[in-house]
Amino acid sequence: MTTIKARTSVVTLYQGDYLDRIRHIERQYEEALRSEVRSPRLLNEVPASVTLADEHATLVAEAEATAVNVTLRALGRKEWRALVAAHPPRDGNEDDKQVGVNEDSFKDPLILSSIVDPALTEDDLDMLSEADSDQLYLLCWALNRLPVDGPKALRVLPQNQPSDATSN
């Protein structure tokens, strides 16, 4: 007997100021690389870019360790239709009319209905920025409403075989 499983996807929510700090180190790293090209260094001197790369790796590891990975699932047809019916578009609202729901009242229930892990509450959603909330909502929408192409096989060249471009 075939078992159908809902599609799932994960959104990573980074905590605190990690992303800002990481971007800051990345800018410093790029500047250090440019500076190192222009200026010679002493023989035993560790390039600033190496030190910054180490700092970056450490900070990325910290960010990943504190990040919250939210797994979302596509809803079944009946569950989706019931949720849509409970949030009809507002009269005169063109945005609602285009998507077929009252987006203001629909977003949080869709997200909460779609969460697989971790268990989040409405209060948890209220702690999210609008950007993080929208990221969750848009993925929930995509899981339920956007068609998906199946995976495609990669075209892999056999080892030690010249490609068409080099076989002339």
Side-chain angles (χ1 to χ4, degrees), residues 147-153:
V148 177
D149 287 337
K152 306 269 190 270

Side-chain angles (χ1 to χ4, degrees), residues 25-146:
I25 289 175
E26 288 169 350
R27 288 188 298 272
Q28 288 179 316
Y29 174 80
E30 293 297 326
E31 180 55 38
L33 285 178
R34 286 190 293 275
S35 177
E36 289 164 9
V37 168
R38 293 188 303 260
S39 304
R41 58 183 164 77
L42 299 175
L43 186 59
N44 293 334
E45 182 182 6
V46 175
S49 62
V50 171
T51 302
L52 289 165
D54 290 343
E55 286 179 38
H56 183 269
T58 300
L59 199 53
V60 167
E62 286 178 27
E64 291 290 335
T66 63
V68 176
N69 292 310
V70 180
T71 303
L72 302 167
R73 69 176 174 92
L75 305 180
R77 291 180 322 138
K78 289 181 181 180
E79 188 177 6
W80 171 262
R81 290 174 182 167
L83 192 59
V84 168
H87 301 275
R90 294 167 285 190
D91 290 334
N93 187 307
E94 286 303 312
D95 291 338
D96 286 3
K97 185 177 176 184
Q98 285 183 1
V99 295
V101 295
N102 176 336
E103 281 200 297
D104 285 346
S105 68
F106 183 71
K107 285 181 180 183
D108 286 356
L110 175 60
I111 294 168
L112 291 169
S113 296
S114 301
I115 291 175
V116 173
D117 184 60
L120 297 178
T121 65
E122 199 165 330
D123 288 341
D124 293 325
L125 292 185
D126 288 342
M127 294 299 296
L128 297 176
S129 69
E130 195 67 27
D132 286 340
S133 176
D134 282 349
Q135 187 178 11
L136 293 172
Y137 172 66
L138 292 172
L139 182 54
C140 291
W141 185 270
L143 284 168
N144 286 285
R145 295 299 296 162
L146 298 181

Side-chain angles (χ1 to χ4, degrees), residues 150-162:
K152 306 269 190 270
L154 293 176
R155 182 173 175 252
V156 179
L157 293 175
Q159 294 260 333
N160 300 322
Q161 295 291 325

